[in-house]
Amino acid sequence: MSTDLSISRATDPCDANPPLLPPRVAEPGTSGACLECRQRHLKCDGRRPCKRCVDSESNCVFVPSRRGQRTHTRGCSQSIAAQEAVSSPGIKRTQQDAGFLAGDCRRKSSFRSATSPALGSLVAWSKFAPRPASAGPRQYRLHPAVSFERCIPSYYHHFHPSHPLVLPQQHLLPRVKEEALQPLLAVMHWVGSKYIAPEMDQQPLLDIARLSVDEAQTKRANGFTVQAMTVLLVALDGTGYPQQAVELLARTKQMALWLGMNYSQFITESKTRSGVLDESWRRTWWELYVLDGMFAGAHRATSFSLFDVPTDVGLPCEEDDYETDQIPEPCSLQDLSDRDLSIKRCDFSSFSYRVLSVQNLGKVMQNHEAAEVDATVHAQLEVLLSSWRHNLPASKRDSLRRDGRPDEMMFQAHMLNHTTSILLHQSRAQLDLAPAQAIDACAPPAAASTTPESDECAAAAAAAAAADHPRVSLHARHVATAANEIGKLMTHRTPLTLHTHFFICAVVLASIVQLSAWSGGGGGGGDDDDDAGVREQVRLCIGALRQMSSVWGLATKALGQVRGVAGHVHFVRTQSRQMEQFLVDVTEEDMMSMFAADTLTLADIGTV
DNA sequence: TCCATCGGAGTGTAAAACAC
DNA sequence: TGTTTTACACTCCGATGGAC
């Protein structure tokens, strides 16, 4: 402490040299020892940076002292929430979000303040762990199961293939001590922990990631901050904080545009002299672009605003080329648009087809927003979607690479194409969406029908489909096919948790279509085989959501809703069948006596 | 022998409780 | 309003054990 400085300095071998900076001057409200020294239970000389940190090339970070505070004994939720509110004033929080930020008294054991023994157990901040510039006023005790060394490989194995914007592992690890990378590493740490220890409380890591990103937003606007924000917003959305994710998406887009990441000039001016880092910047822009479209399509709570933003950033390369640092000259978006008409040869990556697929989604959504979509425009949009599928090179027609490994980029591209097809045709297929009104895990429920005469219309739709009304049945077929194709994506022999969490929304959309079909009588005609087929599709969707719920909170919510509706539809269908059987068995005499009994009952009720 | 880890004693501090 | 009590934060000595 500052009071016994003279004694400790005289005996401390660290102070053998005369100090170049003034000896320990504890800033008001700041701890006397840096985090590194506190963690190691060693005497800190209080200089900034301190001698130990200089020698060990560690980040020398001083955080505000909480000495004397009693935040955990009374009104702890409030005080911590208030603290957090100050740390990131730009964020409007929902009640749920406030909960996830504040934690509560019951979680005390998992993030116990760093009283003396605890600091030594801060495994997260070990030698190679990221250290946010302000680790925040709270310290956390982390289980070794979620150590940095385990969580980062987990991130690359589970999450990175779905959103491959950050540097490949072998390029990132040598840079873990760079200040600019700390928020990104903190976010990756949290995301990686979600897969390896889903049963554990990941709140501490999430809090650290949030604090780190919040701070970076105000202090360090750079490409790595955009990457950290992008990864965080995806994971927040999947975890079940959609409002937070949407707000963060808006700020991330703002920062990316402010930095000029939509122009290749951003890369040339970065002067990275690293092909793989240049590629990482290209990917950051296009990932944000794709996510903007996915958010708009999946949640229908945002607009795909990046769709109209001018850009000349080259398209990302194949994943294998990125991993092996063999980055080819990037193809342009114009090349992609002209791909079948131009003489110029360009091998487009799976990521590029994913970009193209999300562009189609953007075009459909643009027209979707118009009150009435002209039939011609509607047909043109369908041509776009079909053309995308038909003109895929043979190697991109399924979601596997040449060597049989899954190609997540093409998986998502197909997923987007089928989802867009449902969005395009759903309203014209005149599905009876009433049974699925309770399913709002991804997006607010669609109107039960497109016209005010909804009930009549739904009934008419079923009748028209049964009579094979040419237009309605065509749209219904498109919707049913797309839902079945999404079903096929679920049957790939790849763990579903390795896919992007947006697949949950595709599964939910397919579930809604299947449930509508089921409640309307299977394939429309009430045939037993059709009925069993649709029922199996619903079961498949439930199974997929169950598997993904082991990681993503969003899937847990969707699972509950889809199962609830499926149970209700099953019940109604069973009752209806029993009634049909009853009507077949009953005689005319039985019927007349029942009517008489009913009339008497009604008369009794009337007199009461 | 060196070095990293960490238990725990000693101390500091601000909130809460209490006295006047 | 001033004083005392209390609970917790914080520092860092020194024991311990693993690596070389």
Side-chain angles (χ1 to χ4, degrees):
Chain A
M1 288 303 302
S2 51
T3 48
D4 63 356
L5 242 187
S6 56
I7 300 166
S8 56
R9 290 181 69 81
T11 55
D12 187 359
C14 293
D15 291 333
N17 299 323
L20 297 173
L21 292 167
R24 172 175 291 167
V25 184
E27 289 177 8
T30 305
S31 301
C34 69
L35 284 179
E36 187 77 15
C37 292
R38 280 164 64 179
Q39 181 190 338
R40 295 163 67 185
H41 293 204
L42 296 173
K43 187 171 168 57
C44 181
D45 64 14
R47 291 180 224 162
R48 295 163 194 243
C50 74
K51 190 169 186 306
R52 273 186 219 282
C53 288
V54 171
D55 291 347
S56 62
E57 295 179 11
S58 306
N59 273 342
C60 193
V61 180
F62 288 82
V63 298
S65 169
R66 295 202 307 155
R67 184 173 268 175
Q69 292 177 2
R70 298 182 186 185
T71 51
H72 290 157
T73 48
R74 260 168 241 190
C76 63
S77 304
Q78 285 169 340
S79 66
I80 295 171
Q83 231 171 9
E84 298 286 6
V86 170
S87 76
S88 52
I91 301 170
K92 200 171 65 186
R93 299 201 167 95
T94 61
Q95 210 169 12
Q96 187 188 22
D97 295 332
F100 106 72
L101 280 167
D104 62 17
C105 306
R106 283 163 296 169
R107 212 184 289 121
K108 186 176 172 183
S109 60
S110 68
F111 69 86
R112 207 182 79 178
S113 273
T115 50
S116 38
L119 256 173
S121 311
L122 283 172
V123 289
W125 312 126
S126 60
K127 198 168 181 180
F128 299 105
R131 217 170 267 107
S134 78
R138 280 182 285 163
Q139 304 295 326
Y140 299 107
R141 182 197 284 274
L142 295 172
H143 193 275
V146 291
S147 67
F148 180 75
E149 289 77 6
R150 291 191 72 202
C151 291
I152 295 302
S154 165
Y155 172 91
Y156 277 103
H157 178 70
H158 295 102
F159 187 89
H160 182 73
S162 303
H163 304 282
L165 68 157
V166 305
L167 283 169
Q169 195 170 356
Q170 68 272 21
H171 291 274
L172 186 86
L173 289 183
R175 312 181 63 157
V176 292
K177 289 194 174 178
E178 288 180 26
E179 190 66 27
L181 279 157
Q182 300 315 307
L184 175 61
L185 290 166
V187 175
M188 291 169 71
H189 191 168
W190 168 57
V191 174
S193 76
K194 289 179 72 63
Y195 294 91
I196 51 178
E199 75 289 349
M200 280 178 56
D201 177 15
Q202 286 135 1
Q203 193 68 35
L205 287 173
L206 173 54
D207 284 355
I208 290 168
R210 274 297 317 269
L211 283 168
S212 196
V213 168
D214 280 354
E215 191 194 30
Q217 278 181 71
T218 51
K219 291 185 182 168
R220 282 191 301 272
N222 61 39
F224 289 121
T225 304
V226 173
Q227 289 187 337
M229 293 165 79
T230 306
V231 174
L232 180 61
L233 72 91
V234 173
L236 279 177
D237 188 55
T239 306
Y241 302 113
Q243 186 59 33
Q244 282 275 325
V246 165
E247 286 169 15
L248 190 54
L249 174 65
R251 277 181 280 135
T252 310
K253 289 194 285 187
Q254 216 170 17
M255 186 182 285
L257 294 173
W258 184 78
L259 289 168
M261 294 184 86
N262 52 320
Y263 291 114
S264 54
Q265 201 181 350
F266 173 81
I267 297 166
T268 50
E269 282 180 356
S270 300
K271 291 178 186 159
T272 60
R273 294 192 204 116
S274 158
V276 76
L277 187 53
D278 289 351
E279 171 69 12
S280 181
W281 297 141
R282 282 193 286 276
R283 283 166 174 261
T284 305
W285 165 251
W286 286 117
E287 187 62 35
L288 198 53
Y289 182 90
V290 169
L291 287 173
D292 196 26
M294 283 181 163
F295 263 85
H299 298 317
R300 274 158 271 167
T302 58
S303 63
F304 186 1
S305 60
L306 294 187
F307 181 69
D308 296 317
V309 169
T311 178
D312 65 348
V313 175
L315 291 163
C317 64
E318 291 290 11
E319 301 315 298
D320 285 346
D321 294 339
Y322 186 41
E323 294 296 324
T324 54
D325 197 4
Q326 293 176 332
I327 318 289
E329 188 62 28
C331 305
S332 71
L333 193 60
Q334 192 60 47
D335 295 334
L336 188 63
S337 303
D338 301 343
R339 64 196 180 286
D340 301 309
L341 311 168
S342 164
I343 314 160
K344 187 180 172 186
R345 288 281 306 154
C346 207
D347 289 328
F348 297 103
S349 63
S350 300
F351 201 135
S352 305
Y353 286 104
R354 178 175 174 245
V355 169
L356 197 57
S357 201
V358 88
Q359 277 202 323
N360 289 343
L361 170 67
K363 285 171 189 165
V364 166
M365 292 198 66
Q366 254 183 353
N367 287 285
H368 209 261
E369 283 160 12
E372 279 296 318
V373 180
D374 179 58
T376 320
V377 175
H378 198 273
Q380 284 169 351
L381 291 170
E382 175 49 43
V383 168
L384 266 182
L385 297 181
S386 301
S387 166
W388 182 89
R389 289 192 297 272
H390 297 322
N391 288 308
L392 283 176
S395 60
K396 304 291 180 192
R397 287 194 189 132
D398 56 26
S399 312
L400 295 172
R401 303 187 212 190
R402 287 194 185 90
D403 57 6
R405 283 179 299 144
D407 182 344
E408 177 66 19
M409 292 294 97
M410 278 319 293
F411 179 92
Q412 290 183 27
H414 285 288
M415 175 193 88
L416 280 164
N417 185 268
H418 301 315
T419 308
T420 308
S421 185
I422 293 178
L423 292 177
L424 177 63
H425 293 286
Q426 195 176 33
S427 58
R428 294 187 175 223
Q430 296 189 338
L431 294 171
D432 178 12
L433 297 172
Q437 285 293 297
I439 303 175
D440 64 353
C442 284
S449 180
T450 52
T451 64
E453 313 83 46
S454 58
D455 291 345
E456 293 165 27
C457 193
D468 204 20
H469 185 289
R471 273 190 302 147
V472 171
S473 70
L474 179 71
H475 294 301
R477 261 206 302 274
H478 273 297
V479 169
T481 306
N484 288 339
E485 289 297 325
I486 291 173
K488 282 185 194 168
L489 292 177
M490 293 176 225
T491 63
H492 286 193
R493 288 185 176 272
T494 310
L496 294 175
T497 48
L498 291 181
H499 297 307
T500 173
H501 84 274
F502 284 103
F503 188 49
I504 295 164
C505 295
V507 173
V508 167
L509 201 53
S511 307
I512 291 171
V513 171
Q514 303 293 6
L515 285 167
S516 304
W518 192 18
S519 71
D527 181 86
D528 276 355
D529 289 344
D530 284 350
D531 191 54
V534 173
R535 204 172 48 204
E536 277 313 308
Q537 286 289 330
V538 172
R539 200 170 275 160
L540 179 64
C541 292
I542 289 173
L545 290 174
R546 183 178 291 127
Q547 203 184 112
M548 297 186 83
S549 67
S550 66
V551 174
W552 300 114
L554 178 64
T556 310
K557 184 180 177 188
L559 175 65
Q561 293 178 348
V562 171
R563 277 172 71 178
V565 173
H568 177 72
V569 171
H570 178 64
F571 175 76
V572 171
R573 298 270 305 157
T574 309
Q575 294 264 305
S576 152
R577 283 207 173 162
Q578 284 172 349
M579 180 57 76
E580 279 171 22
Q581 191 59 44
F582 171 76
L583 291 173
V584 169
D585 295 342
V586 76
T587 63
E588 196 175 331
E589 206 170 305
D590 295 335
M591 191 72 86
M592 290 309 292
S593 59
M594 273 189 291
F595 278 138
D598 281 350
T599 312
L600 280 172
T601 310
L602 284 171
D604 286 347
I605 292 168
T607 53
V608 170

